Amino acid sequence: MNWWQAVILGIVEGITEFLPVSSTGHLRIVEHLLGFKTQGMGITAFTAIIQVGAIAAAIIYFWKDIVRIVAAWFRGLFNKEGRDDPDYTLGWGIIIGSIPVAVVGLVFKDAIQGPLSSIWVVAGALIIWSFVMMAADRRTDLGRGMKDVTLVDATIIGCFQALSPLFPGISRSGATISAGLFRKFDRTTATRLSFFMGIPALVAAGIFEAITEASHITASTDILIDGGMGVIGWGPTIIATLVSLVVAYFSIAWLLKFVSSNKFTGFIWYRIVLGVVLLVLAFTGLMAV
């Protein structure tokens, strides 16, 4: 892998990881256009590792919030009065909301890495979930804020989040934001909740994948460029990870500003178009399914 290919893939990961448009679908298309075998072990490991950069961006961006919530949670554990703090409830909500996706990831790991990673699944989920997002986005009773989060809300959002590894085209943010809107949270709160609920799950999954898949970065993998065999290499992987961190940071800032005064209509139609493009590429045999 060349450095410029690593930069492109890092940019794609950084932009799409937290937008409700499926980072998986975008990476599959761009990896294919760059000439990589999208289901090769090396490129799969590379994709898992560069996600860590985007996760780090979210942690940096929300660091003050994370510290505040963690501190409130610990205070509430040992101080009865501290349990009246909304951040104490939010802390428990994030913990509880992270359980479903962890269970699904462990129980269905083989299916997720196998048949459920098919481009047909990604494309179908992109299109079908767009209509779920459309229904959520049309709600007019969105008035709840961060202080209104309950454990029931967190559990429901967590269950929606658990759908994303099963059907990657849904996108984790697309699932959690939709759930937040259905629970009547305003768009900014639904989006922030999506980040808060996702950070523990993404950190755990990112570290696990990075450790278990790291060996494939320097092992032979099919690369279609020039019809030869090759390796990804740690140099390009590190470059892509750092690029993804920087780009994801600005992507998060942009998304939070965007949703404060806009609906998700543009994302919804973009998802549908992307899903159709993937179906066409799969039908014509231009992309491995």
Side-chain angles (χ1 to χ4, degrees), residues 205-225:
I207 293 175
F208 177 78
E209 291 292 341
I211 292 174
T212 57
E213 302 291 342
S215 61
H216 297 297
I217 293 296
T218 53
S220 293
T221 181
D222 290 321
I223 297 180
L224 302 184
I225 294 176

Side-chain angles (χ1 to χ4, degrees), residues 5 49 55 58 67 75-76 86 114 124 144 147 149 159 177 198 212-213 216 235 258 263:
Q5 294 171 324
I49 292 171
I55 298 167
V67 171
R75 279 197 305 272
R144 301 177 67 198
K147 293 183 178 180
V149 177
C159 289
I177 290 173
T212 57
E213 302 291 342
H216 297 297
F258 176 84
K263 289 189 173 184

Side-chain angles (χ1 to χ4, degrees), residues 12 16 21-31 119 122-123 126 168-169 274 278 287:
V12 172
T16 61
V21 295
S22 175
S23 60
T24 301
H26 284 81
L27 285 170
R28 287 286 292 274
I29 289 177
V30 177
E31 288 164 356
I119 206 67
V122 174
L126 270 167
L274 178 63
L278 288 174
M287 179 179 286

Side-chain angles (χ1 to χ4, degrees), residues 4-247:
W4 62 267
Q5 294 171 324
V7 169
I8 290 174
L9 290 170
I11 291 172
V12 172
E13 166 63 23
I15 291 176
T16 61
E17 180 61 44
F18 298 112
L19 300 184
V21 295
S22 175
S23 60
T24 301
H26 284 81
L27 285 170
R28 287 286 292 274
I29 289 177
V30 177
E31 288 164 356
H32 174 78
L33 292 175
L34 291 177
F36 295 99
K37 183 179 180 181
T38 57
Q39 291 182 318
M41 295 300 291
I43 199 66
T44 298
F46 171 84
T47 301
I49 292 171
I50 67 171
Q51 184 187 51
V52 174
I55 298 167
I59 293 173
I60 294 169
Y61 191 92
F62 292 105
W63 181 249
K64 290 183 179 178
D65 296 290
I66 293 171
V67 171
R68 190 192 72 245
I69 293 168
V70 171
W73 184 75
F74 273 108
R75 279 197 305 272
L77 287 179
F78 304 103
N79 187 329
K80 185 176 181 180
E81 292 180 357
R83 294 168 197 167
D84 295 328
D85 188 336
D87 283 333
Y88 171 73
T89 303
L90 180 58
W92 272 117
I94 293 171
I95 293 171
I96 293 171
S98 301
I99 294 174
V101 70
V103 173
V104 166
L106 291 173
V107 174
F108 298 100
K109 184 177 184 292
D110 292 338
I112 290 169
Q113 294 181 343
L116 290 177
S117 68
S118 164
I119 206 67
W120 300 111
V121 176
V122 174
L126 270 167
I127 295 170
I128 293 171
W129 196 262
S130 294
F131 293 99
V132 177
M133 288 186 64
M134 192 179 296
D137 200 35
R138 287 181 175 177
R139 295 192 70 107
T140 58
D141 53 352
L142 306 176
R144 301 177 67 198
M146 196 64 71
K147 293 183 178 180
D148 301 315
V149 177
T150 67
L151 296 184
V152 173
D153 296 321
T155 301
I156 292 173
I157 294 173
C159 289
F160 270 64
Q161 181 171 241
L163 295 173
S164 58
L166 287 174
F167 308 102
I170 288 177
S171 95
R172 192 203 58 78
S173 56
T176 50
I177 290 173
S178 297
L181 295 176
F182 280 128
R183 295 300 295 171
K184 304 181 182 180
F185 289 106
D186 62 69
R187 289 179 178 81
T188 300
T189 300
T191 304
R192 290 179 71 87
L193 278 173
S194 172
F195 285 114
F196 292 160
M197 294 291 180
I199 287 174
L202 290 173
V203 167
I207 293 175
F208 177 78
E209 291 292 341
I211 292 174
T212 57
E213 302 291 342
S215 61
H216 297 297
I217 293 296
T218 53
S220 293
T221 181
D222 290 321
I223 297 180
L224 302 184
I225 294 176
D226 298 326
M229 295 286 289
V231 296
I232 302 298
W234 279 110
T237 302
I238 293 171
I239 290 173
T241 302
L242 293 175
V243 170
S244 120
L245 187 158
V246 174
V247 174

